[in-house]
C-alpha cells in the first residue's frame, strides 16, 4: 500500500527505473539492476512490467514484478564454472592421450638408436650426455602428461620429496 518512492527512496536505482517506465510507458521484460543493499551486500533485482488497460483500451496502470535473483545468479555462475572445468578436463585428457602416442614412438626410437650406436661404435662422453638428456626430457614429458591425466581425472595432488642438488644439476646441464 505504499508508493514506490517511499519504499525505495529518492535516487535508488529501482526507484529511478520505475519512474522512467511510468513516465515513458511500455512494458519491460527482465531488466536487471545491481545495487548495494542497506547491509552492504551487492544484490541483483530482475524487474518486469506490464501495462494494464481498461476494457475500452485506456491505460489503467502498471504491474511491476521485482525478483531478487542474486542467489540464483550465483548458482548459475557456479554451474557454468563447473561446466567449463568439465570441458577443460575432457580437453586436457584428449590432448594428453594424443601426445602420449608420438611421445612413446620417440622414446622407443631413441632407445633403439642408442642401442644401435652402442653396438657399432664407442660413444663419446658428450654423446652419452646427449642421450641422457634426451631420455630425461622424454621422461619429463611423460610425467607432464601423467599430471595432465591426473588433473583430468580430478584426483588429489600427490607430493614427493625432491633432491634439489640433482634438480639444479639437471637444469644446469640443460642450459
Amino acid at each position: 500500500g505504499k508508493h514506490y518512492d517511499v519504499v525505495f527512496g529518492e535516487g535508488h536505482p529501482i526507484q529511478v527505473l520505475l519512474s522512467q517506465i511510468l513516465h515513458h510507458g511500455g512494458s519491460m521484460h527482465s531488466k536487471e539492476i545491481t545495487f548495494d543493499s542497506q547491509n552492504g551486500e551487492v544484490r541483483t533485482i530482475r524487474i518486469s512490467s506490464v501495462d494494464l488497460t481498461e476494457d475500452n483500451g485506456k491505460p489503467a496502470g502498471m504491474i511491476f514484478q521485482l525478483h531478487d535473483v542474486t542467489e540464483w545468479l550465483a548458482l548459475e555462475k557456479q554451474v557454468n564454472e563447473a561446466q567449463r572445468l568439465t570441458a577443460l578436463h575432457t580437453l586436457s585428457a584428449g590432448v594428453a592421450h594424443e601426445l602420449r602416442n608420438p611421445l612413446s614412438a620417440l622414446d622407443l626410437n631413441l632407445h633403439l638408436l642408442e642401442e644401435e650406436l652402442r653396438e657399432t661404435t664407442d660413444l663419446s662422453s658428450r654423446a652419452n650426455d646427449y642421450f641422457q638428456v634426451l631420455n630425461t626430457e622424454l621422461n619429463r614429458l611423460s610425467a607432464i602428461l601423467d599430471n595432465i591425466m591426473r588433473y583430468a581425472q580430478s584426483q588429489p595432488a600427490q607430493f614427493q620429496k625432491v633432491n634439489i642438488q640433482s634438480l639444479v644439476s639437471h637444469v644446469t646441464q640443460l642450459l
Side-chain angles (χ1 to χ4, degrees):
K2 296 180 182 177
H3 194 272
Y4 70 93
D5 283 335
V6 174
V7 174
F8 296 108
E10 188 68 32
H12 189 282
I14 294 176
Q15 183 272 337
V16 171
L17 180 64
L18 295 178
S19 292
Q20 290 173 350
I21 294 169
L22 284 171
H23 291 101
H24 298 295
S27 61
M28 176 183 59
H29 182 68
S30 296
K31 168 86 173 166
E32 289 182 1
I33 292 182
T34 301
F35 65 94
D36 292 330
S37 66
Q38 290 176 348
N39 62 2
E41 293 179 358
V42 176
R43 308 301 295 177
T44 302
I45 305 296
R46 185 171 291 157
I47 302 173
S48 297
S49 68
V50 176
D51 288 325
L52 291 177
T53 56
E54 295 178 3
D55 290 339
N56 61 7
K58 290 183 181 179
M62 295 188 94
I63 294 177
F64 290 98
Q65 178 185 20
L66 285 73
H67 186 192
D68 186 341
V69 293
T70 306
E71 283 82 17
W72 186 81
L73 291 174
L75 287 173
E76 186 178 63
K77 184 178 179 182
Q78 287 177 349
V79 167
N80 289 339
E81 181 70 13
Q83 288 174 339
R84 187 187 69 78
L85 286 174
T86 298
L88 182 60
H89 286 175
T90 302
L91 176 66
S92 61
V95 168
H97 177 73
E98 290 301 318
L99 290 175
R100 175 83 58 208
N101 293 335
L103 184 63
S104 295
L106 284 170
D107 188 44
L108 174 65
N109 283 286
L110 179 63
H111 287 293
L112 292 173
L113 176 63
E114 186 177 11
E115 282 180 20
E116 179 81 20
L117 288 174
R118 287 190 192 285
E119 289 175 5
T120 58
T121 62
D122 283 333
L123 293 178
S124 69
S125 65
R126 285 181 64 190
N128 280 324
D129 289 343
Y130 294 150
F131 275 113
Q132 182 181 359
V133 168
L134 288 170
N135 283 314
T136 302
E137 291 307 303
L138 283 173
N139 289 335
R140 190 166 71 95
L141 284 172
S142 182
I144 290 170
L145 290 178
D146 289 341
N147 286 336
I148 291 172
M149 291 300 290
R150 273 195 289 284
Y151 171 75
Q153 295 169 356
S154 298
Q155 294 178 348
Q158 296 177 353
F159 298 96
Q160 63 185 22
K161 292 184 178 184
V162 175
N163 182 332
I164 193 73
Q165 290 175 331
S166 171
L167 182 63
V168 170
S169 173
H170 175 69
V171 170
T172 304
Q173 190 176 25
L174 285 175
L175 294 174

